[in-house]
Amino acid sequence: MQNSEALALTAVLLAAAGDLTRRINDGVEARGFEGRPAFGFAFTRLAPDGATVTELAAHLGVTKQAASQLVDELVRKGYVERRAHPVDARARLVVLTERGWECTRAAEAAAADAVGAWVEVLGEAEVRVLCDRLARIAPYGPLRPTW
């Protein structure tokens, strides 16, 4: 693959990822939830069993202070709550509230809508192949937002 082809592939993958993130966030907002893409990245770590702020910071690739500020915002918006940690008395566990779970379900529906637009262009079989191919090369680990 030539350098220019590699650069073009990079550009279209980043554009697709950015568009997908925007569509999901827009869909979540259209379903009545206030938020930003970073909320969804946090929710993926908090579901299903919660996490400490330190664990969330590691998942997001941010400082503990930045994660704590995000948690404070999520608490204010009613998406998460802090609870006593079941094992570590010094730690607090951050868990999704019912509103947080509702927002997560809204994001799932918005993601289905966004991928549905790809199906309209490529067809279902091609989208399944695309998913399979990308899964083969995607790194394993947490999804981190671009700050």
Side-chain angles (χ1 to χ4, degrees):
M1 180 172 269
Q2 299 292 321
N3 287 352
S4 59
E5 293 171 318
L7 186 59
L9 175 60
T10 301
V12 298
L13 283 172
L14 290 172
D19 182 63
L20 183 61
T21 300
R22 181 191 54 77
R23 285 177 185 244
I24 292 170
N25 193 67
D26 290 351
V28 167
E29 289 179 350
R31 288 167 172 82
F33 296 92
E34 180 186 358
R36 52 192 173 98
F39 291 8
F41 291 104
F43 286 7
T44 63
R45 178 60 185 89
L46 297 176
D49 298 320
T52 65
V53 169
T54 301
E55 292 167 339
L56 183 60
H59 174 79
L60 295 174
V62 300
T63 65
K64 186 177 167 186
Q65 292 78 13
S68 184
Q69 289 175 350
L70 178 62
V71 168
D72 288 344
E73 184 178 1
L74 293 172
V75 167
R76 281 192 306 274
K77 293 185 183 311
Y79 294 127
V80 303
E81 63 185 13
R82 291 180 177 96
R83 293 185 182 163
H85 196 284
V87 177
D88 185 350
R90 298 167 297 158
R92 303 284 290 165
L93 194 63
V94 180
V95 297
L96 294 173
T97 62
E98 183 53 38
R99 180 164 172 74
W101 283 110
E102 289 169 3
C103 186
T104 298
R105 289 188 289 275
E108 290 173 355
D113 290 347
V115 172
W118 293 0
V119 170
E120 289 178 18
V121 173
L122 300 174
E124 190 168 333
E126 286 295 318
V127 171
R128 288 184 191 281
V129 168
L130 175 64
C131 181
D132 177 64
R133 300 296 189 270
L134 290 174
R136 290 169 53 190
I137 62 171
Y140 178 78
L143 300 175
R144 292 190 169 132
T146 302
W147 301 102

